[in-house]
Amino acid sequence: MTAELDHRSVERRSVRARASGKVNLQLSVGPRSEDGYHPLATVFQAVSLYETVTAEVRDDELITLSMSAGPGLPGDLDGVPLDSTNLAWRAAEAVRQEFGVTDGVDLSIVKGVPVAGGMAGGSADAAAALVACAEAWHCGATREDLHRLAATLGADVPFALMGHTAVGLGRGDQLSPAMTRGEFHWVFAMQHEGLSTPAVFAEFDDQVARGERTAVTPRVDAEVMAALMAGDGALLGKALSNDLQDAALSCAPRLRDVMETMRDGGAVGVVVSGSGPTVAALATSAHHATSIAAYVRAAGAADVVMTASGPATGTVILEG
Ligand code: C5P
């Protein structure tokens, strides 16, 4: 064995990256396009609930994936695939193809964002896997390379790379940073049972077909942008909106009670996060968020209640 190979097998390169979950402050949805997707105008905010992905280079060409739940995460991980259909696995494969890498990788994920919760935990896994693999394999990938690969993996993956607060157009993947001031304080009411994003979009289509709602050209709400610029949580609370909310409530009617309880608990704004079932409530301070969370917990309105703040960072390398 050569000295070089010896060195490789002793020092396996390992990189750990972290990406945040998100909440949509506004989600404006247009009519379904021919490609099956809906044109969106959305304002994303990354929040301090994190997915951590470690990529350890293998000497052979295999990809493996393991996953564990971080402390307090609702739901079990049984339904999450650990094979080539997992978004993090697909991210590793995309990097390998793009840069002609022949090595394999062991991916291990620690989840801090609820599964199928409407907070883009799977997209955060993909973003963190892209960054960790590109770094571990020394691909020399640019931010642009990673963004392009991210957009092929899913509509929310580019934002998971970018983080902070951003306007998303197109499928949600055409991003521009939003001006914000200060910090916003959130309470998230989570459910053990997830909701499927395609099912919620399909219910949205049915509501449009039944004439219960209209799907107009999506637009960014000026009030949301003004509240962000002012750093005014109470103003932002009033401006929160989500065109998928009625569809999510129709798929999971119990969420109405969750929303009501969060309002009773003193939230300045309550909205279903993305395609649900997580319900997001805005508070005016960290202390206020803690008190709303205590109220919602005591009422038994949700399976798990967590507090977080935003904007949080995009994907960052923690180690390696
Ligand atoms: O892009 P991603 O795989 O995350 O999207 C999951 C599903 O959500 C899509 O298959 C589609 O049914 C729906 N979707 C949509 N319009 C968007 C984003 C997602 O209809 N802009």
Side-chain angles (χ1 to χ4, degrees):
M1 187 180 276
T2 66
E4 192 185 332
L5 277 176
D6 224 6
H7 170 81
R8 249 170 71 113
S9 55
V10 174
E11 268 189 50
R12 293 184 68 192
R13 180 149 169 85
S14 172
V15 176
R16 196 151 61 95
R18 188 187 78 180
S20 314
K22 59 85 186 163
V23 59
N24 299 79
L25 310 178
Q26 185 216 342
L27 181 51
S28 169
V29 181
R32 189 176 191 270
S33 319
E34 299 218 320
D35 64 4
Y37 274 79
H38 297 71
L40 306 178
T42 189
V43 184
F44 294 107
Q45 181 158 90
V47 295
S48 58
L49 300 178
Y50 300 111
E51 300 283 294
T52 307
V53 177
T54 305
E56 188 169 8
V57 177
R58 293 175 64 96
D59 292 336
D60 58 22
E61 78 291 357
L62 295 178
I63 296 177
T64 73
L65 179 60
S66 63
M67 195 177 275
S68 60
L73 194 74
D76 56 40
L77 304 178
D78 287 354
V80 183
L82 296 178
D83 58 15
S84 61
T85 62
N86 185 289
L87 217 46
W89 184 306
R90 287 177 48 208
E93 196 58 68
V95 172
R96 207 152 65 157
Q97 295 223 340
E98 177 76 14
F99 295 97
V101 175
T102 50
D103 284 343
V105 68
D106 292 325
L107 295 172
S108 35
I109 301 178
V110 181
K111 296 198 71 70
V113 179
V115 175
M119 298 187 71
S123 300
D125 292 345
L130 280 176
V131 169
C133 288
E135 184 69 15
W137 284 324
H138 298 296
C139 295
T142 62
R143 207 74 199 163
E144 289 71 31
D145 292 330
L146 294 174
H147 184 96
R148 188 167 29 78
L149 292 178
T152 68
L153 295 166
D156 289 339
V157 185
F159 178 71
L161 269 184
M162 180 180 177
H164 304 281
T165 309
V167 172
L169 301 177
R171 292 180 174 190
D173 55 342
Q174 295 164 21
L175 297 171
S176 39
M179 300 265 275
T180 69
R181 183 173 278 130
E183 201 177 12
F184 296 90
H185 301 277
W186 294 96
V187 183
F188 295 105
M190 300 159 179
Q191 309 292 332
H192 285 313
E193 218 168 291
L195 270 181
S196 134
T197 302
V200 173
F201 272 106
E203 173 61 20
F204 174 88
D205 294 338
D206 289 348
Q207 290 178 344
V208 173
R210 291 195 298 262
E212 291 166 16
R213 66 171 309 125
T214 48
V216 293
T217 305
R219 285 188 332 118
V220 174
D221 183 353
E223 277 178 41
V224 170
M225 303 311 280
L228 285 168
M229 282 261 260
D232 187 328
L235 211 58
L236 184 61
K238 285 200 203 95
L240 296 173
S241 74
N242 180 358
D243 283 355
L244 288 181
Q245 182 164 297
D246 287 345
L249 292 176
S250 156
C251 295
R254 68 184 183 281
L255 298 183
R256 285 184 199 284
D257 292 340
V258 180
M259 295 182 75
E260 197 57 43
T261 307
M262 292 181 104
R263 280 191 204 101
D264 291 347
V268 292
V270 179
V271 74
V272 169
S273 176
S275 56
T278 299
V279 176
L282 203 49
T284 52
S285 67
H287 181 73
H288 186 207
T290 307
S291 100
I292 297 167
Y295 183 91
V296 177
R297 271 189 208 111
D303 292 330
V304 174
V305 184
M306 286 184 182
T307 57
S309 62
T313 57
T315 307
V316 291
I317 292 175
L318 297 180
E319 218 175 86

